[in-house]
């Protein structure tokens, strides 16, 4: 079989092949490994390919095909490199953890394995998940599979690029302020950030604890549903994980129920800076929904413009504390110094990249005595207002539809150097993260070969409705899943 | 010499008696363990690990806060205290800041026989840091390392208002606090092993305003608290009398040299950037939980001390000595059940029992003697079956072998010589052998009588009834006249 035959596959299709003995897990893993070999020098989505162990595991599975397949049985999965994998390096895209191999699996990884999945490799990311371009990785950037001159988005750029190019059928990412949805939008795939607390964070290297949430990157909405069923649910190792049972597909309303949902469109998400083509595409989708007799209402989220600023304060504050542990003492990089202070200084100077240092300094400042009230506390207050905005809007509708990003995949040359413009790219993904709401990005069309992302935002723990609408839209739009060819010619 | 008022406040850390650490499942039993053997990703602060609160910690701290009459806050929040130090793997300590477990309590204690009261500012919970170890058993010369076994062990911090007026009072207050946590089963209160640690703030002033406060650390026993603070009083007094400034600083007590040494230059430069820990949810303390714990609080040392004074007519000093160790106080009361002579039992415990414990280097809980055994022995003394002197040596053997009084006495063939005739014969022998002493006595030297009683005791290997011996001696000697 050839990899391109899987272009529109979801998990069920692979399982049918397994059952019909048309392909074995080992053959499947080999096909993905080949695809990785073909694509990696062009897009650099992976930091580590788990070739041997993946083959061994696939071989074991190939020898023992059960009658009933576990939900992810025999399927390879790519994991963002800030999610701990036992015995497999977990670097967070940082020199600081270049040689760090965790002695434990993150809860999500444990659950993937238990569901029969095979770890294919670890994907590239912005250092410690700080960035929207996968340019800040200490191990080189990832390129957008649609156009290598452009960024794949970030910070889960490696995961999104690998799924887009079918180097992996699906992947895990993490989303703090949009790090799953924005790269999913830039790579034309599905990116789901569930409700804060839906999925355990244990083993996910903390960036901003009150915002970090594991996200799922898939080619089909259907696969996001399956993955969510597998990885969600209560975890005794994470106090912030909600004490609820795992998500179940029975929570998804039937198609006829979907038509009864009210969709809100927040006017603040269509500012003047929004790229025209994105606005057009979203409006086209809204029109189609209307044709399907789904009610569309305009709503307002008045504090949207303050969300981004306060996000960068709150996230940086938490990061400054979360990253204090990288001090060269117990694990990770250590650069010897003349004394303790000197060792700290050298280790952190060499271990962290510019973006990380910038945010640590920013966050340290925001928490300092005398500034705490003015910055951190105010940021938290804005956060409450943002949450209240959503609560009010959800009094008028069940779900919100917005663009995922204000721009199409951008050029690193253009945006990589202006931090504020870069931060603006998160303006539509940050507010729902601040409010802890489930949000999903879905490809809603192309403009000159570049994908446009549409975002659906739901009420807390109402992933059912969210995924229901996403399934409905996916069917309605009937776009082919991406399969970019790795061409040499578009690299300048 | 001008008159200065001394003002002292204490900050006491008590290690809470839980099986597992505060935020992970690692054991807290670190004493004597090889470095870094009681650790896991959570207490080592490995990337991605998360803390999960051990509820027992809240329960124990709540017990302490209630015993200290604190007002309990309905919601507790953990804050991160951020600072870099090698013994702190996460780069921050999980502690409490503006929403501790309890506030505004008080503690009563006796100092020099006078009842005192100090207000408690707050009781909060936090995790312990690790320990730096230097070259030695585990490390080659010239190197240092971190032992993380202690990382994440739960502590309760008790902060008093600065209301103690002397080193002695500070020590007595600390002793009462130690007793309370021991009585509550909240901590083992062992200062030498570091499960109870005390820092003190001390200032001197000649006006109604407080003087510049100095923080004193590294005091590892009640004695060193007293010594260190006494040293500080003198040091600060001298400076003030010479018109020299006192710096607000931290000073370390050097036990060997008997001095405090300045630890850091500028205080106040440290900014811990406290903020609520986003990895932990606020925890609520429900009214029912408070009521339940309140109803289960045992009798506390001060109550017991005062009960001993009224119920058993002991002096404050006697009651205090007994009550200071819950096990001793229990032992005392258990002994009374079989032999209800409080003063006598108190005397025997605080002298003979203490002496034996000290010689064996053990606690009462480790001793082989039981309250019933002691009661049995004391009953024999009371009935004059054996003399006090004999009883002391019998007790010694009871401690050494675990045998009961009767066994020892039978084995040694001891019996109390209370037969007047037999004793009189011995008395006459002694008088004959010691004409000089007899002459001395007869010329009015009372001391000689004691010597003669001693000689009788020697002859009888202590088996003579001392009172009887004395009366017979006087009788026989007066007939000699």
């Amino acid at each position: 079989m050839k990899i391109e035959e899987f272009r529109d596959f979801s998990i069920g299709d692979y399982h049918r092949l397994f059952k019909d003995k048309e392909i074995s897990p080992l053959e499947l893993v080999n096909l993905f490994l080949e695809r990785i070999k073909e694509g990696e020098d062009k897009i650099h989505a992976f930091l580590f390919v788990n070739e041997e162990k993946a083959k061994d595991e696939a071989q074991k599975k190939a020898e023992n095909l059960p009658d009933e397949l576990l939900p992810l049985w025999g399927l390879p999965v790519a994991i963002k490199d800030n999610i701990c994998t036992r015995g497999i390096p977990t670097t967070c895209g940082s020199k600081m953890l270049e040689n760090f191999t965790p002695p434990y699996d993150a809860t999500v990884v444990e659950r993937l394995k238990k569901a029969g999945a095979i770890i294919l490799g670890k994907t590239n990311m912005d250092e410690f998940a700080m960035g929207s371009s996968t340019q800040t990785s200490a191990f080189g950037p990832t390129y957008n599979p649609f156009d290598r001159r452009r960024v794949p988005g970030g910070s889960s750029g490696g995961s999104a690029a690998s799924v887009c190019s079918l180097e992996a059928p699906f992947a895990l990412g993490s989303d703090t302020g949009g790090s799953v949805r924005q790269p999913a939008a830039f790579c034309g795939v599905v990116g789901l950030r569930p409700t804060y607390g839906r999925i355990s964070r244990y083993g996910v290297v903390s960036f901003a604890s009150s915002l970090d949430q594991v996200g799922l990157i898939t080619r089909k909405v259907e696969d996001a549903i399956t993955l969510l069923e597998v990885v969600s649910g209560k975890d005794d190792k994470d106090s912030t994980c909600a004490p609820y049972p795992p998500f179940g597909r029975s929570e998804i309303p039937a198609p006829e129920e979907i038509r009864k949902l009210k969709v809100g469109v927040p006017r603040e998400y269509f500012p003047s800076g929004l790229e025209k083509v994105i606005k057009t595409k979203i409006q086209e989708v809204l029109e189609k929904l209307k044709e399907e007799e789904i009610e569309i209402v305009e709503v307002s989220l008045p504090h949207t413009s303050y969300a981004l600023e306060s996000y960068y304060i709150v996230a940086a504050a938490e990061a400054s504390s979360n990253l204090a542990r990288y001090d060269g003492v117990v694990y990770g990089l250590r650069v010897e110094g003349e004394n303790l202070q000197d060792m700290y200084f050298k280790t952190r100077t060499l271990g962290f990249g510019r973006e990380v240092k910038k945010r640590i300094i920013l966050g340290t400042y925001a928490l300092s005595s005398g500034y705490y009230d003015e910055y951190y506390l105010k940021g938290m207050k804005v956060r409450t207002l943002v949450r209240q905005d959503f609560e009010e809007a959800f009094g008028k509708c069940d779900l919100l539809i917005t663009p995922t990003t204000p721009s199409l995949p951008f050029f690193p040359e253009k945006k990589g150097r202006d931090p504020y413009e870069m931060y603006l790219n998160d303006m539509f993904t940050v507010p729902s993260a601040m409010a802890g709401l489930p949000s999903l990005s879905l490809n809603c069309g192309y403009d000159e070969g570049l994908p446009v992302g549409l975002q659906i935002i739901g009420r807390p723990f109402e992933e059912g409705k969210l995924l229901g609408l996403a399934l409905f839209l996916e069917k309605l739009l009937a776009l082919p899943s991406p399969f970019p060819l790795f061409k040499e010619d578009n690299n300048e | 010499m001008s008159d200065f008022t001394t003002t002292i406040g204490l900050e006491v850390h008590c290690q809470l008696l839980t099986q597992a650490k505060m935020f992970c499942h690692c054991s807290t039993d670190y004493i004597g363990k090889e470095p870094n053997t009681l650790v896991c990703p959570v207490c080592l602060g490995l990337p991605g690990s998360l803390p999960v609160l051990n509820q027992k910690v809240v329960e124990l701290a709540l017990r302490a806060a209630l015993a200290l009459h604190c007002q309990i806050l309905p919601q507790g929040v953990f804050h991160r205290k951020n600072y870099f130090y090698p013994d702190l793997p996460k780069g921050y300590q999980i502690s409490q800041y503006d929403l501790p477990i309890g506030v505004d309590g008080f503690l009563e204690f006796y100092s020099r026989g006078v009842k005192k009261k100090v207000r408690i500012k707050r009781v909060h919970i936090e995790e312990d840091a690790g320990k730096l170890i230097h070259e030695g058993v585990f490390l080659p010369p010239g190197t240092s390392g971190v032992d993380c076994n202690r990382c994440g062990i739960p502590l309760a911090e008790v902060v008093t208002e600065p209301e103690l007026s002397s080193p002695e009072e500070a020590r007595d207050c600390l002793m009462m606090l130690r007793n309370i946590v021991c009585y509550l089963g909240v901590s083992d209160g062992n200062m030498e092993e570091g499960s109870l640690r005390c820092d003190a703030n001390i200032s001197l002033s000649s006006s109604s305003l407080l003087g510049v406060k100095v923080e004193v650390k590294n005091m590892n026993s009640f004695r060193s608290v007293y010594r260190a603070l006494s040293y500080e009083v003198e040091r600060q007094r001298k400076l003030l009398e010479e018109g020299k400034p006192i710096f607000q600083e931290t000073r370390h007590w050097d036990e060997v040299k008997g001095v405090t040494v300045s630890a850091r230059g500028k205080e106040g430069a440290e900014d811990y950037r406290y903020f609520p820990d986003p990895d932990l949810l606020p925890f609520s303390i429900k009214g029912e939980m408070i009521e339940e714990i309140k109803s289960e609080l045992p009798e506390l040392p001060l109550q017991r001390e005062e009960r001993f004074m009224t119920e058993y007519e002991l002096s404050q000093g006697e009651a205090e000595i007994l009550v200071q160790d819950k096990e001793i106080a229990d032992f005392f009361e258990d002994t009374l059940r079989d032999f209800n002579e409080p003063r006598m039992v108190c005397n025997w415990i605080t002298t003979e029992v203490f002496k034996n414990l000290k010689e064996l280097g053990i606690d009462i809980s480790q001793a082989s003697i039981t309250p019933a055994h002691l009661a049995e022995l004391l009953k024999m003394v009371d009935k004059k079956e054996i003399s006090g002197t004999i009883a002391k040596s019998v007790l010694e053997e009871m401690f050494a072998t675990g045998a009961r009084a009767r066994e020892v006495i039978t084995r040694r063939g001891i019996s109390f010589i209370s037969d007047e005739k037999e004793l009189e014969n011995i008395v006459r022998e002694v008088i004959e052998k010691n004409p000089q002493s007899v002459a001395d006595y007869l010329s009015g030297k009372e001391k000689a009588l004691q010597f003669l009683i001693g000689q009788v005791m020697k002859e009888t290997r202590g088996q003579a009834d001392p009172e009887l011996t004395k009366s017979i001696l006087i009788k026989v000697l007066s007939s000699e006249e």
Side-chain angles (χ1 to χ4, degrees):
Chain A
M1 293 195 84
K2 281 195 170 147
I3 198 94
E4 47 265 50
E5 292 174 52
F6 306 144
R7 181 170 180 163
D8 282 304
F9 264 39
S10 62
I11 292 161
D13 300 312
Y14 292 107
H15 275 185
R16 207 165 310 118
L17 293 187
F18 287 150
K19 280 184 179 160
D20 296 345
K21 306 221 163 115
E22 284 188 38
I23 197 166
S24 75
L26 182 59
E27 286 162 338
L28 187 71
V29 161
N30 280 332
L31 280 175
F32 281 106
L33 288 170
E34 266 170 46
R35 177 71 175 166
I36 290 170
K37 278 201 186 96
E38 185 192 354
E40 268 310 272
D41 59 327
K42 319 243 177 12
I43 63 167
H44 190 229
F46 282 88
L47 290 179
F48 179 82
V49 180
N50 193 31
E51 186 167 349
E52 266 171 55
K53 283 186 198 161
K55 280 183 177 170
D56 286 351
E57 188 55 39
Q59 173 67 38
K60 256 190 253 163
K61 289 200 155 69
E63 287 164 7
N64 188 13
L65 178 74
D67 294 334
E68 278 290 312
L69 297 186
L70 289 165
L72 301 176
W73 191 86
L75 289 164
V77 54
I79 313 259
K80 187 178 182 178
D81 211 23
N82 62 346
I83 300 176
C84 289
T85 39
R86 189 168 33 136
I88 301 174
T90 299
T91 70
C92 289
S94 179
K95 281 259 173 248
M96 192 59 96
L97 292 177
E98 192 169 3
N99 297 313
F100 178 67
T101 300
Y104 49 95
D105 274 329
T107 297
V108 283
V109 172
E110 219 174 76
R111 290 182 182 174
L112 287 178
K113 286 182 177 174
K114 235 177 132 187
I118 297 165
I119 310 298
L120 188 59
K122 304 299 291 285
T123 57
N124 201 6
M125 56 184 283
D126 283 299
E127 186 178 4
F128 282 104
M130 296 177 186
S132 314
S133 65
T134 316
Q135 294 275 310
T136 72
S137 167
F139 310 111
T142 295
Y143 304 97
N144 193 313
F146 287 108
D147 179 350
R148 290 194 57 222
R149 296 166 302 172
R150 295 174 191 262
V151 304
S155 62
S156 312
S159 286
S162 71
V163 174
C164 167
S165 58
L166 211 50
E167 288 184 346
F170 44 81
L172 292 190
S174 71
D175 188 313
T176 303
S179 278
V180 154
R181 292 160 289 157
Q182 185 254 18
F186 280 11
C187 292
V189 291
V190 177
L192 170 64
R193 174 200 165 95
T195 312
Y196 183 81
R198 190 53 118 160
I199 301 180
S200 167
R201 292 189 294 117
Y202 187 84
V204 182
V205 180
S206 296
F207 158 16
S209 314
S210 72
L211 293 151
D212 294 345
Q213 184 60 193
V214 171
L216 315 171
I217 296 177
T218 61
R219 299 172 62 80
K220 295 284 178 199
V221 176
E222 171 56 34
D223 290 351
I225 296 169
T226 309
L227 278 179
L228 186 61
E229 287 185 313
V230 168
V231 299
S232 62
K234 169 180 185 295
D235 180 18
D236 292 338
K237 290 175 180 167
D238 176 4
S239 339
T240 63
C241 187
Y244 300 153
F247 174 80
R249 63 181 65 231
S250 59
E251 294 173 43
I252 300 171
E256 62 273 18
E257 293 298 313
I258 298 291
R259 282 179 215 274
K260 291 180 195 156
L261 294 176
K262 232 188 246 182
V263 172
V265 180
R267 71 172 76 95
E268 290 80 5
Y269 282 62
F270 296 86
S272 55
L274 175 63
E275 250 174 73
K276 245 200 184 111
V277 56
I278 295 178
K279 193 176 175 183
T280 313
K281 287 281 171 204
I282 302 289
Q283 275 166 348
E284 278 172 27
V285 173
L286 294 173
E287 283 309 314
K288 281 185 187 163
L289 284 176
K290 273 184 206 162
E291 284 165 27
E292 295 292 322
E293 289 167 359
I294 288 179
E295 192 182 341
I296 311 284
V297 292
E298 193 185 80
V299 294
S300 173
L301 300 167
H303 296 92
T304 300
S305 60
Y306 305 107
L308 197 66
E309 276 86 350
S310 49
Y311 165 81
Y312 274 96
I313 287 168
V314 172
E318 291 182 14
S320 73
S321 174
N322 280 333
L323 271 63
R325 66 187 63 195
Y326 308 111
D327 60 1
V329 176
V330 178
Y331 54 85
L333 179 75
R334 176 192 291 182
V335 184
E336 295 297 343
E338 311 214 330
N339 51 42
L340 180 67
Q341 290 299 321
D342 194 40
M343 187 278 281
Y344 281 156
F345 196 78
K346 285 184 170 146
T347 299
R348 290 172 67 85
T349 299
L350 282 155
F352 292 136
R354 275 182 67 89
E355 184 63 29
V356 172
K357 280 181 203 149
K358 190 165 71 193
R359 297 203 199 190
I360 290 175
I361 292 168
L362 196 72
T364 303
Y365 183 80
L367 287 176
S368 298
S369 73
Y371 300 99
Y372 181 88
D373 290 359
E374 214 174 317
Y375 292 102
Y376 185 74
L377 203 62
K378 197 169 266 180
M380 292 304 273
K381 283 178 182 166
V382 171
R383 190 171 183 180
T384 305
L385 295 174
V386 169
R387 190 178 290 134
Q388 285 168 356
D389 274 3
F390 280 108
E391 276 165 20
E392 212 157 297
F394 282 126
K396 300 184 185 107
C397 60
D398 299 294
L399 294 161
L400 297 171
I401 284 185
T402 78
T404 308
T405 58
S407 74
L408 291 171
F410 49 81
F411 295 101
E413 291 87 349
K414 193 178 152 207
K415 289 214 170 167
R417 300 222 174 88
D418 182 345
Y420 191 67
E421 225 179 305
M422 173 85 99
Y423 293 168
L424 275 180
N425 215 260
D426 301 332
M427 64 195 288
F428 300 149
T429 49
V430 154
S432 61
M434 290 286 270
L437 304 174
S439 326
L440 176 145
S441 178
L442 181 75
N443 184 24
C444 70
Y446 292 91
D447 177 60
E448 291 179 12
L450 294 174
V452 176
L454 170 145
Q455 178 175 236
I456 312 173
I457 304 172
R459 296 192 190 107
F461 298 98
E462 288 195 356
E463 280 86 353
K465 284 181 190 162
L466 183 93
L467 290 162
L469 183 66
L471 278 172
F472 186 88
L473 268 175
E474 188 182 48
K475 206 174 162 196
L476 189 67
L477 300 172
L479 293 163
S481 294
F483 189 75
L485 297 169
F486 296 131
K487 290 182 292 190
E488 294 287 354
D489 54 7
N490 59 7
N491 187 24
E492 283 185 354
Chain B
M1 203 168 92
S2 22
D3 227 5
F4 294 108
T5 323
T6 302
T7 306
I8 301 170
L10 301 179
E11 274 182 35
V12 183
H13 286 92
C14 315
Q15 185 183 318
L16 296 173
L17 281 173
T18 55
Q19 299 277 305
K21 290 185 181 179
M22 190 158 169
F23 298 112
C24 61
H25 298 295
C26 290
S27 163
T28 54
D29 187 20
Y30 66 88
I31 289 167
K33 296 287 184 327
E34 210 177 298
N36 301 313
T37 49
L38 304 177
V39 292
C40 73
V42 176
C43 55
L44 281 178
L46 293 191
S49 65
L50 294 171
V52 174
L53 177 63
N54 176 353
Q55 285 298 334
K56 187 81 185 164
V57 173
V58 176
E59 195 190 309
L60 292 181
L62 195 55
R63 220 186 279 176
L66 285 169
L68 294 170
H69 313 279
C70 284
Q71 190 193 320
I72 306 302
L73 301 186
Q75 195 176 59
V77 172
F78 287 107
H79 272 67
R80 290 186 184 177
K81 180 179 181 181
N82 294 284
Y83 64 95
F84 283 96
Y85 203 65
D87 67 6
L88 194 65
K90 297 192 296 296
Y92 59 83
Q93 178 193 29
I94 303 176
S95 182
Q96 291 194 284
Y97 187 56
D98 52 359
L99 293 169
I101 295 263
V103 294
D104 298 334
F106 65 86
L107 168 68
E108 289 178 308
F109 61 100
Y110 280 93
S111 189
R112 287 203 181 200
V114 182
K115 197 167 168 180
K116 303 270 180 179
K117 182 173 178 175
V118 64
R119 285 181 300 150
I120 301 294
K121 203 184 221 167
R122 57 190 270 140
V123 174
H124 80 239
I125 46 181
E126 63 184 25
E127 57 174 348
D128 205 351
K131 204 176 99 184
L132 293 191
I133 46 176
H134 304 288
E135 57 184 49
V137 186
F138 298 109
L139 290 168
T143 59
S144 293
V146 191
D147 175 9
C148 292
N149 284 351
R150 236 173 53 185
C151 289
I153 283 188
L155 304 174
E157 182 176 324
V158 178
V159 183
T160 76
E161 293 287 353
E163 292 176 346
L164 300 161
S165 60
S166 69
E168 197 178 19
E169 229 177 87
R171 179 201 58 203
D172 294 341
C173 171
L174 180 64
M175 285 173 90
M176 181 55 86
L177 183 58
R178 196 270 312 256
N179 290 344
I180 290 173
V181 294
C182 290
Y183 268 61
L184 293 170
V186 153
S187 173
D188 68 15
N190 190 325
M191 282 195 87
E192 281 73 22
E193 280 170 359
S195 41
L196 188 84
R197 283 169 249 161
C198 177
D199 299 337
N201 288 304
I202 175 166
S203 66
L204 261 62
S205 169
S206 54
S207 71
S208 58
L209 298 172
L210 285 179
V212 176
K213 85 176 171 190
V214 169
E215 190 177 8
V216 186
K217 286 180 181 278
N218 196 37
M219 301 174 289
N220 299 321
S221 66
F222 294 107
R223 198 172 107 90
S224 63
V225 167
Y226 177 73
R227 286 179 70 207
L229 293 177
S230 302
Y231 175 87
E232 259 313 293
V233 169
E234 281 319 304
R235 187 185 72 87
Q236 293 187 26
R237 178 197 300 280
K238 262 188 213 137
L239 288 172
L240 289 171
E241 279 170 356
E242 290 164 11
K244 288 181 183 160
I246 291 170
F247 296 107
Q248 183 173 336
E249 61 179 351
T250 298
R251 298 181 70 86
H252 277 260
W253 169 244
D254 184 326
E255 183 74 38
V256 180
K257 292 186 185 139
V259 296
T260 64
V261 185
S262 179
R264 286 177 223 159
K266 290 256 179 349
E267 240 340 81
E270 201 113 28
D271 179 357
Y272 292 119
R273 306 189 309 280
Y274 280 99
F275 77 106
D277 192 330
D279 286 333
L280 291 159
L281 303 175
F283 58 93
S284 58
I285 295 175
K286 299 204 171 68
E288 308 98 79
M289 189 181 178
I290 296 174
E291 288 316 310
E292 195 188 318
I293 291 179
K294 245 187 202 170
S295 70
E296 285 169 357
L297 284 182
E299 183 185 32
L300 292 171
L302 190 84
Q303 292 166 276
R304 198 174 204 184
E305 191 173 319
E306 290 178 340
R307 181 168 64 80
F308 279 17
M309 286 158 71
T310 53
E311 195 175 326
Y312 305 131
E313 292 170 354
L314 300 179
S315 72
Q316 188 267 325
E318 288 169 326
E320 187 179 272
I321 292 178
L322 291 174
V323 162
Q324 245 163 34
D325 182 338
K326 184 174 181 292
E327 309 245 10
I328 291 285
D330 290 344
F331 194 94
F332 168 73
E333 291 209 274
D334 288 345
T335 308
L336 290 189
R337 247 186 265 155
D338 289 337
F339 180 62
N340 195 13
E341 289 293 334
R343 167 137 295 124
M344 183 174 169
V345 174
C346 171
N347 284 341
W348 273 79
I349 288 180
T350 55
T351 52
E352 295 311 310
V353 171
F354 280 7
K355 195 180 94 193
N356 280 290
L357 290 176
K358 199 177 167 193
E359 268 163 21
L360 295 170
I362 56 170
D363 294 330
I364 191 73
S365 59
Q366 298 163 292
S368 47
I369 182 170
T370 67
H373 295 174
L374 179 65
E376 199 176 84
L377 176 73
L378 296 187
K379 260 189 232 166
M380 290 160 83
V381 177
D382 194 50
K383 286 189 197 148
K384 303 203 188 311
E385 286 175 32
I386 54 169
S387 70
T389 319
I390 290 282
K392 283 173 194 175
S393 91
V394 170
L395 184 66
E396 221 170 273
E397 197 169 327
M398 286 164 74
F399 264 101
T401 63
R404 302 183 59 157
R406 292 241 174 260
E407 290 166 29
V408 177
I409 289 163
T410 317
R411 183 160 5 109
R412 287 211 212 149
I414 300 168
S415 64
F416 214 159
I417 304 173
S418 53
D419 181 83
E420 225 169 306
K421 201 86 214 136
E422 195 187 341
L423 202 53
E424 198 177 317
N425 290 337
I426 298 165
V427 167
R428 286 187 191 282
E429 268 172 49
V430 166
I431 286 174
E432 237 163 78
K433 279 186 199 158
N434 297 284
Q436 186 56 49
S437 299
V438 171
D440 287 350
Y441 174 75
L442 293 176
S443 65
K445 287 183 183 164
E446 281 291 323
K447 263 193 178 169
L449 184 64
Q450 284 307 315
F451 175 77
L452 291 169
I453 294 172
Q455 292 305 302
V456 175
M457 286 296 168
K458 201 174 158 191
E459 281 296 315
T460 59
R461 298 203 331 275
Q463 295 177 40
D465 178 336
E467 287 304 314
L468 193 61
T469 307
K470 192 175 171 189
S471 63
I472 292 173
L473 254 174
I474 292 169
K475 193 185 81 188
V476 176
L477 285 170
S478 58
S479 70
E480 293 268 311
E481 254 178 314

